[in-house]
Each structure stands twice: as C-alpha cells, then as structure tokens.
Amino acid sequence: TEIIRHLIKHHIFASINQVVDYEQAALVARDLGFEPTPQVISPTSASLQRGALPTSAVLEAARDDKDTVPIPPVVTIMGHVDHGKTTLLDMIRKTRVAAEEAGGITQHIGAYQVEVKGKKITFLDTPGHEAFTAMRARGAQVTHIAVIVVAADDGVMPQTREAIDHARAANVPIIIAINKIDKPTANPELVKQQLAEIGVIVEDYGGDTVCVPISARTGAGIDELLEMILLVAEMQDLRANPNRPAVGVVIEAKLEKNTGPMATILVQEGTLKMGDHIVVGPLAGKVRAMFNDRGKRIQKAPPSTPVSILGLPEVPQPGDRLEVVPDERTAKQRAAEIAEQRRAESSLPGHVSLDTLYMQMQEGKTKELNIVLKCDVQGTVEAIKNALLKLGEEKIKLHLIHEGVGNITETDVHLAAASGAIIIGFNVKADNAALRQAQKEGVEIRYYDVIYQLIEDIEAALKGLLEPTY
Ligand code: GDP
C-alpha cells in the first residue's frame, strides 16, 4: 500500500501486481531513501550493449520470464505536418495487407498490423507525437520504435525536432524516413546535415541512427523501411509472455450507435481471450466480442495485437490500462480501487515546481531538473540554453528536454507531465488547452521576458532562496 501511495504521488496508477519501469521504480526507491542503480539483465542484446536501458515495462517484465516469446514491434510515425505521415501509414497498409484479405474492408481502429517476411509489425494509426506523449503522460508507453518522417524537399522543421525530443524523452529508438524523394526538389543530403546539427547522426555520417530514403507516394523504399524496423526491433529483443492473463492499453475508444462502447486495445502481455473478465481504467467488464484490424471476429489476441472489443459499460480513455482478472467480483473491486485512486490523485499537487525544488533536493528526491523551454525567437532559445547549461551544478543536473519557438501548447504540457519537467515560456503565452491541461496535471509554467530574471530565479531555486509566487 505504501509503495502504491508513492506511485500515485508520481501520477502512476499502479495495481498490486503491475510491472512498473525502471524510472518509476527508481522514483519510489528514492522516496524511501534508497539510491537505485539500473542493472543490465540481458548483455547479449545489442541495444543494451550500447548502454540503452530497456524502454518499456513489458520488456522488463519479460526478461525474467522463461515463457517469453519474441513479439512484433509497435511503431509510431511522427514528424512535421505535411511531411507525409498519413500517406506513409496508408501506403504501408495498402501494400502489405495479405493477398487473401485484400478487398476486405479495413477498419480504422487506431492501429493495424502488417506482415513482412513472415514477421509482424504493428503500426499505431494516429500519427504524431501529440498522441504518443498524451498516452505517456497517462503512464502508458506502448511504442517500441518511432519512425520520424522528414520531407526531403522541406528538411528538418520545428515539429521534426519536437518529435525527436519526444521520442528521446521516452527512450524510444528512432528511425529516420526521408520522404518525398520522388520530388525533383528533394535534397536528402541536406536533411542528413540538418539532422546532424540537432544531434541525430545517421549511419552514412558515422552515427548509429538508421535512415531510409522513401517515397510514401510511389512506394519506393518502403520495403527497406519495413526491414529496418524489423532489424531495430530485433536489436531491442522485444519479448512478452503470451501465457499469462492479458495486460494492455486503450489506443482509441468510441461509442458505437448499435453496439455501445467499443475500445481498441493493444495487448502488451499475455493473450486476451473472448469471455475474459477485464478492468479497463476505472471500468469493469467482460470481453463479449473481439475484432481484429480487418473487422474480422477473433477469439484471442496475443501480445502486440491491436483488437477492438465490446463489453465495457462506458467508453474508456486512451492510455487507460486493461487488465484481465479472474472473475467479475475482482473486476468490480479493482475498478472501484482505480476510481478511488484517480479521485485521490486529482487532489494532489504537481510533482515538480521551482518553489519546492530545493526541498526536494534536500530530501534527496530530486537529482535533476527537467525543463521544457518555449521562446518567441530561435536566438533567445540559444541564449537561454547557454545560460542554463552553465548553471548545472553538482547537486542537480539541468536537463533541457525540449526547446522550441512558439506558444506553449497542450503537447508541451503532456511532455512536461510525462517527464516531470517544468515549462518556461519566454515572451510567449500558453494557449487555453495548455493552461487547462497544466492545471489538471499539476505542471508548473513560468513566464519571463528578461533573461537574467529567469536565470536568477533558477539560481535562487537551486539554493532554496526563491520567493514563492502566489
Ligand atoms: P502528414 O501531415 O504528415 O500526415 O502529411 P500527409 O500524408 O497528409 O501528406 C501531405 C502532402 O504530401 C499530401 O498532399 C501528400 O500527397 C504529399 N506526399 C506525401 N508523401 C509524398 C511523397 O512521397 N511524394 C510526394 N510527391 N508527395 C507526398
């Protein structure tokens, strides 16, 4: 109970038998006065050798379990608007639906699965980092690989950088797809240079980021892209145990006129079966019908399969967790517990703020300050960034997880919430949706129009001398 209470304090709604990831476990360990160190469990995996930690809870759980099998990677496509995310998702779906199923009506359920050389890949069908980070802010990380689409005629743009920062903050490996190479104005080399400038070094340039030139319109390069996805997935050694009660996440949900609440679940662990008693967020239900991404009725869904299900009393929210329980009574009891946890959480203050930073540092609760920085012009971003980085002290690491030009948006707030960051706005405002979300998630937003004042405040906060603001 005590551990669950600490998790709630950090906005993680865990149940008694839930697997949490390293970062989440470490937060609680620190709360309780321990200093955790990550332990690499499978030294054979290439991604681990490179020093990366397993990214998802599924992965961590899987490693100790002898029953695990390799699972299809779950891929999100992100990038700047109009760079071709939707076209790419459509093209992959169109060309990769198995022949006997072609002609069958594809159902838009928020995710789909394709087969490449006998191996499956699951694509989340809502492109963009907004959905990705909104889910993460709710404690759900479903993506194993992020494909960042960059149009070869337009180059790296603000949302390209944003998408890369969001993927990095989530510790998800990135594959670059340089799109629109069919265009006469395409300049893939320039894109690679621009990427290098923001620290993404592609393999041709001696780095380790996989980069594939493609045309989402003509289909050129898409086979290579899919193969690269499988390769990166293989290096991650993604596994899960299909023989346990299923755990999954809601990807999408809606109220259907004839059938009632319908939810798309991405199964992460175990196998979801017809008739299973389930808890989805604060709702108790039973799987009464289950359909795959082609609208076909199915009886069971192994890990990484997207399925839409019927049998919930209400429409759940994307990011809600699904859990299979032994019987109806347990389902109702768990659902009530989660509803109660949510009520308790909504009255908790946010977890990071400059005012309380010093206290948290003293108590050993905070070792770094994550910052999302939004400015009116790029020049100011650089100036503030340099000034901030100089401030980094031994006691605490300042970590700029995202910087950008423009007003503060809901997506910035989601990123801050998911990463325990504060937001600094310099000569910019927050839009209404962002303000509402910040209040809901307890994310601190601070506004400045003079650089030295901003720096002074952070310095003061680090020393515990900041005047509280009301
Ligand atoms: P999104 O906003 O990233 O989802 O971008 P869309 O997929 O909607 O694409 C934006 C525009 O670029 C559309 O008019 C597409 O037809 C076009 N487009 C996408 N991919 C390609 C490509 O590979 N080549 C060319 N020439 N146009 C493309």
Side-chain angles (χ1 to χ4, degrees):
T1 330
E2 194 175 344
I3 289 174
I4 290 181
R5 206 175 313 128
H6 280 281
L7 285 168
I8 296 177
K9 206 171 78 191
H10 296 290
H11 297 236
I12 301 156
F13 309 101
S15 61
I16 192 91
N17 52 3
Q18 180 172 337
V19 179
V20 295
D21 66 20
Y22 173 77
E23 293 305 330
Q24 298 174 333
L27 283 173
V28 176
R30 286 191 197 108
D31 280 1
L32 298 173
F34 297 95
E35 190 42 52
T37 43
Q39 191 180 344
V40 176
I41 295 161
S42 163
T44 50
S45 149
S47 64
L48 294 181
Q49 277 172 357
R50 274 200 258 114
L53 285 170
T55 49
S56 73
V58 173
L59 217 65
E60 303 232 343
R63 299 207 179 269
D64 318 328
D65 202 322
K66 283 185 271 318
D67 269 0
T68 61
V69 296
I71 56 166
V74 178
V75 180
T76 300
I77 297 192
M78 312 200 230
H80 195 70
V81 63
D82 281 347
H83 279 197
K85 300 179 291 294
T86 314
T87 313
L88 177 59
L89 276 164
D90 290 348
M91 189 63 160
I92 294 173
R93 173 157 34 195
K94 212 168 67 196
T95 51
R96 283 289 164 175
V97 172
E100 76 270 19
E101 283 168 311
I105 304 160
T106 48
Q107 308 281 312
H108 177 93
I109 62 166
Y112 65 83
Q113 214 171 42
V114 296
E115 216 170 285
V116 182
K117 296 192 167 159
K119 290 187 178 151
K120 291 183 169 133
I121 305 174
T122 302
F123 284 93
L124 296 184
D125 204 351
T126 324
H129 51 275
E130 291 84 359
F132 172 81
T133 296
M135 296 259 275
R136 238 167 45 80
R138 312 203 67 238
Q141 177 148 327
V142 292
T143 302
H144 299 124
I145 295 170
V147 170
I148 311 278
V149 176
V150 192
D153 60 340
D154 202 23
V156 170
M157 298 301 276
Q159 285 164 41
T160 316
R161 286 205 305 260
E162 223 170 277
I164 291 170
D165 286 346
H166 283 235
R168 279 178 173 160
N171 236 332
V172 170
I174 290 170
I175 295 178
I176 302 288
I178 301 187
N179 190 29
K180 307 199 187 184
I181 51 160
D182 58 297
K183 283 196 156 184
T185 48
N187 188 350
E189 290 310 310
L190 182 63
V191 174
K192 292 178 196 170
Q193 283 164 27
Q194 291 171 334
L195 286 167
E197 280 162 24
I198 55 169
V200 177
I201 319 287
V202 300
E203 284 176 329
D204 309 2
Y205 283 33
D208 57 8
T209 305
V210 176
C211 170
V212 190
I214 62 161
S215 167
R217 181 171 282 176
T218 67
I222 291 190
D223 286 348
E224 286 86 337
L225 176 63
L226 295 173
E227 278 166 32
M228 285 303 155
I229 291 173
L230 287 175
L231 195 75
V232 171
E234 218 165 90
M235 294 198 307
Q236 280 182 287
D237 192 21
L238 306 167
R239 307 178 77 86
N241 176 1
N243 304 322
R244 48 158 287 173
V247 170
V249 176
V250 176
I251 303 294
E252 208 175 87
K254 56 184 177 235
L255 192 62
E256 292 278 350
K257 238 187 247 149
N258 301 322
T259 51
M262 164 92 99
T264 298
I265 306 292
L266 182 78
V267 179
Q268 295 183 294
E269 272 282 338
T271 299
L272 185 63
K273 301 188 197 74
M274 274 291 290
D276 274 349
H277 290 282
I278 52 175
V279 182
V280 178
L283 307 171
K286 186 177 171 174
V287 182
R288 299 202 182 280
M290 193 153 62
F291 305 89
N292 69 8
D293 53 349
R294 318 266 147 85
K296 208 173 119 199
R297 257 178 199 276
I298 52 172
Q299 295 297 315
K300 51 187 185 184
S304 289
T305 314
V307 281
S308 52
I309 59 162
L310 295 176
L312 288 171
E314 282 172 55
V315 180
Q317 284 181 34
D320 275 349
R321 183 184 152 83
L322 169 139
E323 204 183 323
V324 169
V325 292
D327 49 42
E328 191 178 337
R329 213 178 115 238
T330 320
K332 292 214 160 121
Q333 204 176 338
R334 277 290 302 138
E337 272 168 33
I338 292 168
E340 179 53 38
Q341 281 176 4
R342 290 204 175 170
R343 271 193 294 278
E345 191 275 340
S346 65
S347 59
L348 281 175
H351 40 132
V352 226
S353 78
L354 275 195
D355 295 341
T356 55
L357 180 68
Y358 186 70
M359 211 171 68
Q360 290 176 329
M361 282 161 57
Q362 293 302 84
E363 290 172 6
K365 285 185 187 162
T366 303
K367 287 274 178 330
E368 56 180 23
L369 175 61
N370 287 336
I371 298 174
V372 171
L373 173 67
K374 293 301 286 282
C375 301
D376 53 345
V377 289
Q378 188 61 32
T380 332
V381 175
E382 297 305 322
I384 295 179
K385 193 167 139 185
N386 291 334
L388 280 179
L389 294 180
K390 278 196 206 117
L391 277 184
E393 290 189 23
E394 273 170 29
K395 275 184 286 179
I396 191 159
K397 267 213 298 269
L398 289 183
H399 191 196
L400 209 53
I401 58 166
H402 174 61
E403 73 226 33
V405 172
N407 278 342
I408 297 160
T409 63
E410 198 176 353
T411 307
D412 294 324
V413 177
H414 281 314
L415 177 64
S419 320
I422 63 163
I423 301 180
I424 293 175
F426 193 86
N427 271 333
V428 294
K429 293 204 265 302
D431 64 30
N432 284 336
L435 285 176
R436 268 198 306 277
Q437 198 58 32
Q439 189 158 29
K440 202 162 125 202
E441 310 244 26
V443 169
E444 182 180 33
I445 304 182
R446 297 183 82 95
Y447 305 94
Y448 293 91
D449 47 19
V450 184
I451 296 186
Y452 82 78
Q453 238 158 34
L454 156 64
I455 301 303
E456 259 184 21
D457 272 9
I458 302 230
E459 267 181 326
L462 294 177
K463 297 190 181 112
L465 298 173
L466 188 71
E467 294 287 326
T469 44
Y470 297 104

